[in-house]
Amino acid sequence: MDEEMTGAEILIRALVDQGVSRVFGYPGGAVLPIYDALFQQEEVGHILVRHEQGATHAAEGYARSTGEVGVVLVTSGPGATNAVTGLTDALMDSIPLVCISGQVATHLIGNDAFQECDTVGITRPCTKHNWLVKDVKDLPRILHEAFYVARSGRPGPVLVDIPKDVQLSLGRYSGPENVQHKTYQPRIKPERSGVEEAARLIAGAKRPVFYTGGGVINSGPEASETLRALARATGFPVTSTLMGLGAYPASDRQWLGMLGMHGTYEANLAMHDCDVMICVGARFDDRITGRLDAFSPGSKKIHIDIDPSQINKNVKVDVPIIGDVNAVLTEIMAAWKAEGGRTETEALATWWRQIEAWRGKRCLGYKPNDDVIMPQYAVERLYELTKGRDSYITTEVGQHQMWAAQYYGFEEPNRWMTSGGLGTMGYGLPAAMGVQVAHPDALVVCVAGDASVLMNMQEMSTAVQHNLPVKIFIMNNQYMGMVRQWQQLLHGNRLSHSYSEALPDFVKLAEAYGAKGIFCQKPGELDDKIQEMIDTPGPVIFDCRVASLANCFPMIPSGKAHNEMLLAADIEEEEISQAIDEAGKMLV
């Protein structure tokens, strides 16, 4: 392209060439040239949020539900610092984002100018890479590099800091052809030796388990299909982290449910007692392993990951395989079949009998109630009334998040958006907006808690302005539920500042924003009210009053091994009854 254009115009042209159709942002002085360029074109749309954290979470929801890169636009100083939580969230959960931040003019950098901060320094720990653009000549290359780094290898957030004078300077644009980072070239194809050793272990496994994570979903829909094909061919059980839900269908007989701190009894016991563990796109984080020195002590561990830094970081493995999940699984399948495609059939049958015995514990069972909505029941009814639809689920963070993971059955990848690694309260509502922007005709439901949803409640204004019909399903127990549960079980029942006092009337709050509010507190009303929520064409806040003192089980207590699980049955019956009674009193 021969004609000169401003840095701001170069940015817009780069976004178009990268396939970006929407950005999530909030204007300010240091990005006004970019907003002026946005105003003068129609190819890139803009979603005006009410807080920059909301912009990053919305971009995460957009990216997670589409597999594309989410784009954020913020101003300098507080605009950039407000985005830090979302950038950190995206880094922990491997979500591809490009954050464009404005910066004061280059001659003012370091002078404590108005709305100046060291954005590159502040965001270095919470991005894969970041750049400060000092010359408009470098801008096209850096922008295309940013998208390459964000989406390549293990996905993640990047940031490009553009001073205001660079936005206004004239330069020439160059396209994204053959753009690669000089030093960042992740390995896609695995080494043959690791593939062959994995195939040999699979053939000889007597008590195997597939331990899958978000890396399966990040690898693309083909990876989920390849995982399903390999699992079905071998007959091995499959479990998943919180971030990997949907990569393997929840309705399948080989599915053990989620593993980890609030995972199922059968998943955690299978992980502990297995002899071959095939870890696919997961990172052995502390929510999964429990006490490290007691984690799956008798197993040979295969670890498939595209990020070399994750290998042997938390758990020493026997067969490390670096590469893209789909590429690795495809080669393992081929190598295993080339050797005859055999498994230890009799041993595997014995292993499944043991798993069925663990399933017999019915670890997700709960005591129903005709007067008070149990939170587990609320998620079950939400699932039954939304399954079969073009549905996407986001969550806030807390007990409701775990109940959603346990009781909502995901059949496909990219349908479940939640904050896993960072555990960010306030994630769910803006993430739902991002999903709705990407899928305007889909049903998007944010399963929320009464405390967590208030963290970014201002984004309801965004939903109303942009006609985003998100459904905010608040499981209102009038507590910071997970905090209260830990205080009850681990801190002598000293409920220090975990009761949600002065909650708003969520129905009136919805109406104040111009949305619809729905209230429900009786189990017999729940189905009709959920259906009303689904049928409402615009955004909805649903205040679902659930048992206040219900606890989320199973649970691996802090400091315990992953096979030392606390089940609901381990709690005295009178405690459960008392909790339900107390919940009923609070509704009077």
Side-chain angles (χ1 to χ4, degrees):
M1 194 171 287
D2 293 331
E3 75 271 19
E4 285 192 320
M5 52 178 61
T6 67
E9 292 169 334
I10 287 173
L11 169 61
I12 302 302
R13 179 52 47 200
L15 295 179
V16 171
D17 283 353
Q18 289 292 340
V20 176
S21 59
R22 292 286 188 278
V23 300
F24 301 87
Y26 200 94
V31 283
L32 287 185
I34 297 174
Y35 273 87
D36 190 46
L38 276 170
F39 184 85
Q40 298 181 63
Q41 55 82 55
E42 296 182 350
E43 292 179 275
V44 179
H46 179 272
I47 304 297
L48 177 66
V49 298
R50 300 306 188 264
H51 191 285
E52 290 87 355
Q53 182 184 349
T56 53
H57 294 325
E60 284 187 275
Y62 184 96
R64 186 72 175 176
S65 66
T66 61
E68 300 172 5
V69 178
V71 181
V72 177
L73 176 59
V74 299
T75 194
S76 63
T81 58
N82 280 348
V84 164
T85 297
L87 292 173
T88 310
D89 191 274
L91 184 70
M92 293 283 279
D93 287 345
S94 306
I95 310 301
L97 297 187
V98 171
C99 180
I100 307 297
S101 60
Q103 183 56 276
V104 301
T106 51
H107 69 278
L108 293 175
I109 293 175
N111 290 343
D112 293 334
F114 177 66
Q115 290 192 333
E116 181 196 358
C117 72
D118 179 8
T119 301
V120 167
I122 289 169
T123 60
R124 185 171 290 118
C126 61
T127 56
K128 281 183 71 176
H129 196 61
N130 59 19
W131 296 261
L132 172 62
V133 184
K134 296 180 179 179
D135 191 326
V136 72
K137 295 177 184 177
D138 298 324
L139 184 58
R141 172 186 58 81
I142 288 174
L143 289 169
H144 296 312
E145 273 189 16
F147 278 87
Y148 169 77
V149 173
R151 65 164 66 99
S152 299
R154 179 184 177 184
V158 300
L159 179 138
V160 182
D161 201 31
I162 311 177
K164 192 170 184 178
D165 58 324
V166 174
Q167 298 171 36
L168 294 168
S169 298
L170 293 174
R172 298 188 185 279
Y173 177 73
S174 56
E177 296 81 11
N178 301 317
V179 171
Q180 288 189 341
H181 196 272
K182 292 179 182 178
T183 59
Y184 184 63
Q185 297 180 354
R187 181 191 298 170
I188 304 300
K189 297 289 185 181
E191 291 184 353
R192 189 66 188 171
S193 59
V195 168
E196 291 175 350
E197 178 64 10
R200 185 187 67 80
L201 286 174
I202 287 171
K206 293 179 173 59
R207 301 184 310 279
V209 66
F210 280 104
Y211 154 37
T212 64
V216 180
I217 294 172
N218 287 336
S219 181
E222 299 86 0
S224 293
E225 291 302 320
T226 306
L227 169 67
R228 296 173 188 212
L230 182 57
R232 287 164 182 159
T234 59
F236 291 1
V238 183
T239 182
S240 167
T241 66
L242 181 73
M243 297 304 297
L245 295 177
Y248 196 84
S251 61
D252 194 89
R253 173 190 165 276
Q254 291 171 239
W255 173 244
L256 303 183
M258 182 179 71
L259 78 159
M261 178 170 282
H262 292 286
T264 66
Y265 186 75
E266 52 268 30
N268 283 328
L269 268 291
M271 287 282 285
H272 184 266
D273 286 359
C274 70
D275 69 338
V276 173
M277 179 188 298
I278 307 121
C279 175
V280 187
R283 55 189 179 88
F284 294 97
D285 72 282
D286 62 291
R287 302 291 95 170
I288 299 304
T289 62
R291 206 175 77 235
L292 275 173
D293 62 358
F295 175 71
S296 193
S299 66
K300 293 286 187 181
K301 299 174 181 68
I302 302 165
H303 188 186
I304 301 166
D305 205 298
I306 201 166
D307 183 359
S309 72
Q310 296 302 313
I311 303 294
N312 293 323
K313 185 174 80 172
N314 296 325
V315 171
K316 182 173 175 53
V317 300
D318 302 279
V319 185
I321 305 177
I322 298 169
D324 173 72
V325 162
N326 188 51
V328 174
L329 290 180
T330 299
E331 292 203 18
I332 288 176
M333 172 86 90
W336 174 68
K337 286 185 174 180
E339 294 299 319
R342 294 182 299 273
T343 59
E344 294 286 343
T345 309
E346 290 186 12
L348 195 57
T350 301
W351 180 228
W352 272 111
R353 283 194 291 272
Q354 175 61 75
I355 289 171
E356 291 302 330
W358 289 329
R359 276 178 170 164
K361 281 271 193 179
R362 297 188 70 250
C363 67
L364 295 181
Y366 61 93
K367 185 178 180 180
N369 190 280
D370 292 333
D371 298 318
V372 178
I373 298 173
M374 298 304 293
Q376 301 93 327
Y377 178 74
V379 177
E380 285 180 338
R381 298 317 304 158
L382 179 67
Y383 170 65
E384 289 298 327
L385 291 167
T386 57
K387 72 178 181 180
R389 296 174 178 267
D390 184 18
S391 302
Y392 295 81
I393 302 295
T394 75
T395 77
E396 297 290 343
V397 169
Q399 285 180 318
H400 61 275
Q401 176 190 30
M402 295 298 106
W403 282 316
Q406 291 171 336
Y407 294 94
Y408 199 101
F410 293 94
E411 299 295 307
E412 300 294 335
N414 304 105
R415 298 286 174 155
W416 163 251
M417 275 57 63
T418 195
S419 174
L422 195 61
T424 306
M425 295 174 72
Y427 168 92
L429 195 167
M433 297 188 322
V435 176
Q436 195 77 77
V437 168
H439 308 277
D441 297 324
L443 174 64
V444 182
V445 181
C446 170
V447 178
D450 52 278
S452 193
V453 74
L454 291 175
M455 288 280 189
N456 274 315
M457 180 56 78
Q458 76 282 343
E459 298 306 332
M460 281 302 296
S461 180
T462 304
V464 171
Q465 176 186 341
H466 293 281
N467 300 311
L468 303 173
V470 294
K471 317 303 181 189
I472 313 303
F473 188 75
I474 303 173
M475 295 168 65
N476 185 350
N477 59 13
Q478 300 179 295
Y479 277 96
M480 301 173 200
M482 193 63 82
V483 174
R484 193 272 311 151
Q485 176 170 334
W486 280 52
Q487 288 174 337
Q488 178 188 348
L489 299 178
L490 305 177
H491 296 278
N493 203 31
R494 292 180 291 276
L495 306 186
S496 177
H497 301 283
S498 55
Y499 178 60
S500 297
E501 298 187 62
L503 283 173
D505 180 326
F506 285 109
V507 171
K508 290 182 179 178
L509 185 61
E511 293 169 351
Y513 277 114
K516 182 172 181 62
I518 299 174
F519 177 81
C520 183
Q521 65 176 347
K522 293 297 182 182
E525 303 172 339
L526 188 56
D527 278 20
D528 288 343
K529 294 292 183 72
I530 291 176
Q531 192 61 53
E532 181 185 356
M533 176 187 77
I534 293 169
D535 293 340
T536 300
V540 176
I541 296 179
F542 189 121
D543 185 357
C544 182
R545 294 292 178 92
V546 299
S548 296
L549 300 178
N551 285 327
C552 183
F553 294 111
M555 174 184 176
I556 302 173
S558 180
K560 297 293 185 180
H562 67 146
N563 65 324
E564 299 178 279
M565 305 186 71
L566 187 62
L567 305 181
D570 298 325
I571 303 299
E572 293 296 328
E573 188 70 24
E574 54 264 27
E575 280 194 53
I576 298 175
S577 298
Q578 180 184 356
I580 294 172
D581 290 343
E582 289 294 325
K585 291 175 185 176
M586 297 192 73
L587 296 176
V588 175

